[in-house]
Amino acid sequence: MRRIGIDVGGTFTDVVLLDAGSGEVWSLKVPTTPHDPTQGAMHGLTTILERSGCAAGTIDFVGHGTTIATNMVIEGKGALTALVTTAGFRDILELRRGWRHDRADLYDLFFEAPRQLVPRRLRREITERVLYDGTVDGTVAAAEIDSCVAELKRDGVEAIAVCLINSPINGDNEREALRLIREQAGDAFVTGSIEVNPEIMEYERTCTTVVNATLGPRCGQYARRFTASAREAGLRGEVYFMQSNGGMASPEIVADRPVALLESGPAGGVTAAARLCERLGIANALTGDMGGTSFDVSLIRDGQPELRNTTMINTYTVRAPNIDIISIGAGGGSIAWIDEGGGVRIGPQSAGADPGPACYGRGGTRPTVTDCNLVLGHVDAENFLGGDFRLDAAAARRAIEEHLALPLGVSVEEAALAVRQIANALMAQAMRLATVERGYDPRDFIYIPYGGAGPVHAVDLARELEIPTVVLPPMPGLFSAFGMLVADMVQDLQASLVANADEADPERVEALFAELEADARARMGDRTEAITIERRADCCYLGQGETIQIAFPAGEIGPGTMAALADAFVAEHRRRWNFDLTGRPVRVVNLRLRATAKIGEFAAGKATPRQGETLEPIGRGRIFEAGKWTEMPRYRRSDLRQGDELSGPLIVEEISTRISLRAGETLRVGKDATIIVTVGHA
């Protein structure tokens, strides 16, 4: 079987082709085309087919991850969207949740309200009403819907979000409104909260539904256009898209629910890291993905990525299952600058793919982290991307000198080193947020770095956090694209319950789970016989505003099952918060079902025989640190074989990145072409 993984990032589009039969792997990076990401993705697809000599018709599978959804929300470039809601709830998007403690801007005296997801003039109220207990107090009037849709069409809306109050308890009115609107809306994208986020908490549900609508036309068009372009190029295999939850889904599903794409690219890398941990017997790992625009951190505990149901993007709350990823603006393309106080700052502005860092020679004049790493010897100008992409070291020096070194009164190397140290400090802080601030000791984890710039900073970060071991995966610069090859098909579905555990009707709970399972199997098509089902529930003490997700006890659901679920919640609440609310009922808020079908395949590629009996360096390299240049041997990663051991100082480089070790640090080559580094600490 031949499989292709594609990850469209902010700077580069990464492509990996795996031939499972022969064990051969091909990979490449091509520039992302922000004006039309389809062009960059298709350029990568056709190029890797040419290099591998494989015909498009022989490819069985294409897995695709993309940043298109995230970029649209951040840049405000989504579709012109309208909101249809219950009378009296027109302004819920402005009211938000001002009491929430997790608002980073809560005490910002200069806070500027985020751009409105839906202009007030495009929010329409209808007079239906469902009461808190599901009683229908007023039905949907067809004439009112017709008038509303006619007005919105005159306003030129491209998408319509429907979010009626209390629909998670009784969705009849919202389903009827959706049916009527779709009959009249023409080509407009129409989506409802019962299809996207059927749970209580009105602001979060409304915001999630509106974000889905905003993304719908563009993301749906992208999914269809890429799939059609691949078919025109001769591809006959299956095409899947990576979701934020780390699982693959068909183009049709993500076109209807594009909110699932918001962490698509980063989720691929974490999924690949989890598969690698499974193969190597690693229980706990900390992952760091450093690409062109950001540094993304995630935890793997007991072999599984940490998941969450809520994410904040550009101050908007989105409720959808996703891998828990902490992101900061410290990527290789992040611009270094001097603030009003004379301090060196990094990001959040990025040089992106166009023009890119100064060393790319595409017109960029501002210094970036990549430019500084090039000047310091951590990036090789001659062998970047295997020599296919020559870097302009002189341009990097000019940018650093003009914007950093001269204003600071230091040498170019010293200015570049300051930028690298600040980047390391920012990334180390993000890693502490994922571990120390959640009660975990980073020294109990191994560190898995990837992304084009991840290995370049990996050992520095491990030293800073006293992490004893770094595991460099195969193809780290294209690891997120590799994740598209190893991920399985996943569907996360939910249903609202809202009942005390000791009062919930077991038959109703079983019926709701049966409906969710039937829906999941329908979405997964002909793979239904291989589906694994996991049942979970969101629980809290009665009166609490936040829930904890608890695994549902196995077996047939009865009164004893609900009691066991409540006991499991109490134990987890005590572990997490160190207290109980004795005598307080346990509330079940949502039922969740995860359906997984095995489609991923892990392969690190076939090792070719090494020329010569012993491992020899391919040359010498120089690294600037601690105020001086240190010369050390350079090794080519493709020359390393399982069981090889080396001691620092040294450099190991490959087509997309390189890693350096100091004296006293060692590496050995392990299973699946991994490099295992034992880190030295001061």
Side-chain angles (χ1 to χ4, degrees), residues 625-645:
E625 58 181 357
K628 64 179 182 179
W629 289 97
T630 301
E631 190 171 295
M632 57 191 71
R634 292 167 44 227
Y635 294 88
R636 186 184 294 115
R637 185 173 187 178
S638 59
D639 291 337
L640 303 181
R641 296 293 177 268
Q642 185 169 343
D644 284 345
E645 296 186 7

Side-chain angles (χ1 to χ4, degrees), residues 49 54-60 230 233-237:
L49 290 174
C54 298
T58 66
I59 303 301
D60 302 289
L235 187 80
R236 297 292 176 264

Side-chain angles (χ1 to χ4, degrees), residues 453-507:
V456 174
H457 293 260
V459 181
D460 281 1
L461 295 175
R463 295 185 196 116
E464 174 70 20
L465 296 173
E466 299 183 17
I467 297 173
T469 306
V470 172
V471 174
L472 191 64
M475 296 178 288
L478 302 102
F479 204 52
S480 289
F482 182 70
M484 312 305 165
L485 304 179
V486 304
D488 294 324
M489 189 189 302
V490 175
Q491 284 295 308
D492 283 309
L493 303 174
Q494 66 192 78
S496 184
L497 182 66
V498 193
N500 292 347
D502 58 356
E503 298 174 352
D505 180 2
E507 291 186 2

Side-chain angles (χ1 to χ4, degrees), residues 560-574:
T561 309
M562 304 309 294
L565 179 70
D567 291 343
F569 165 78
V570 171
E572 178 61 18
H573 190 281
R574 186 187 307 118

Side-chain angles (χ1 to χ4, degrees), residues 296-640:
D296 304 321
V297 183
S298 191
L299 275 186
I300 295 172
R301 289 197 310 117
D302 298 325
Q304 297 297 321
E306 293 278 89
L307 297 174
R308 62 186 177 195
N309 295 321
T310 302
T311 189
M312 294 282 290
I313 179 165
N314 207 28
T315 78
Y316 305 125
T317 300
V318 176
R319 295 278 292 179
N322 58 90
I323 292 177
D324 191 358
I325 297 172
I326 296 174
S327 299
I328 62 170
S334 296
I335 294 173
W337 52 285
I338 299 175
D339 63 20
E340 294 86 349
V344 178
R345 305 282 294 276
I346 296 175
Q349 300 85 3
S350 172
D354 187 11
C359 62
Y360 283 10
R362 293 177 174 166
T365 59
R366 303 289 299 279
T368 66
V369 175
T370 294
D371 293 309
C372 294
N373 280 327
L374 174 61
V375 166
L376 296 172
H378 293 283
V379 176
D380 189 348
E382 301 299 321
N383 295 308
F384 188 68
L385 298 188
D388 290 343
F389 196 113
R390 301 290 288 274
L391 299 181
D392 188 342
R397 293 187 66 88
R398 286 194 300 270
I400 296 169
E401 183 175 34
E402 178 182 352
H403 294 282
L404 298 173
L406 289 177
L408 293 172
V410 299
S411 70
V412 169
E413 287 78 12
E414 288 170 329
L417 185 58
V419 170
R420 179 178 169 86
Q421 291 171 336
I422 292 169
N424 285 341
L426 291 172
M427 291 186 285
Q429 179 59 21
M431 294 167 73
R432 291 189 183 96
L433 288 173
T435 53
V436 177
E437 295 201 12
R438 298 181 180 182
Y440 303 115
D441 188 338
R443 293 172 296 187
D444 295 334
F445 291 75
I446 65 101
Y447 180 42
I448 301 179
Y450 50 91
V456 174
H457 293 260
V459 181
D460 281 1
L461 295 175
R463 295 185 196 116
E464 174 70 20
L465 296 173
E466 299 183 17
I467 297 173
T469 306
V470 172
V471 174
L472 191 64
M475 296 178 288
L478 302 102
F479 204 52
S480 289
F482 182 70
M484 312 305 165
L485 304 179
V486 304
D488 294 324
M489 189 189 302
V490 175
Q491 284 295 308
D492 283 309
L493 303 174
Q494 66 192 78
S496 184
L497 182 66
V498 193
N500 292 347
D502 58 356
E503 298 174 352
D505 180 2
E507 291 186 2
R508 180 169 179 244
V509 173
E510 185 68 68
L512 288 172
F513 272 130
E515 290 177 11
L516 294 177
E517 182 172 339
D519 189 2
R521 291 184 181 278
R523 295 183 184 207
M524 290 184 162
D526 58 1
R527 286 189 171 82
T528 54
E529 74 286 347
I531 288 179
T532 301
I533 300 295
E534 299 175 56
R535 295 175 168 185
R536 306 183 74 84
D538 294 343
C539 302
C540 62
Y541 282 116
L542 182 63
Q544 286 184 327
E546 298 291 340
T547 62
I548 299 175
Q549 195 172 124
I550 304 296
F552 222 87
E556 186 176 346
I557 297 176
T561 309
M562 304 309 294
L565 179 70
D567 291 343
F569 165 78
V570 171
E572 178 61 18
H573 190 281
R574 186 187 307 118
R575 186 202 70 80
R576 187 172 298 194
W577 302 115
N578 202 33
F579 73 93
D580 299 328
L581 293 177
T582 305
R584 183 80 64 90
V586 173
R587 193 81 156 166
V588 181
V589 179
N590 296 304
L591 302 180
R592 297 187 181 275
L593 181 139
R594 165 166 281 208
T596 304
K598 186 71 176 176
I599 62 173
E601 186 172 354
F602 195 106
K606 181 179 66 176
T608 57
R610 182 165 61 207
Q611 293 183 351
E613 296 182 1
T614 60
L615 176 63
E616 298 290 342
I618 59 172
R620 308 286 292 180
R622 294 197 311 156
I623 299 287
F624 185 87
E625 58 181 357
K628 64 179 182 179
W629 289 97
T630 301
E631 190 171 295
M632 57 191 71
R634 292 167 44 227
Y635 294 88
R636 186 184 294 115
R637 185 173 187 178
S638 59
D639 291 337
L640 303 181

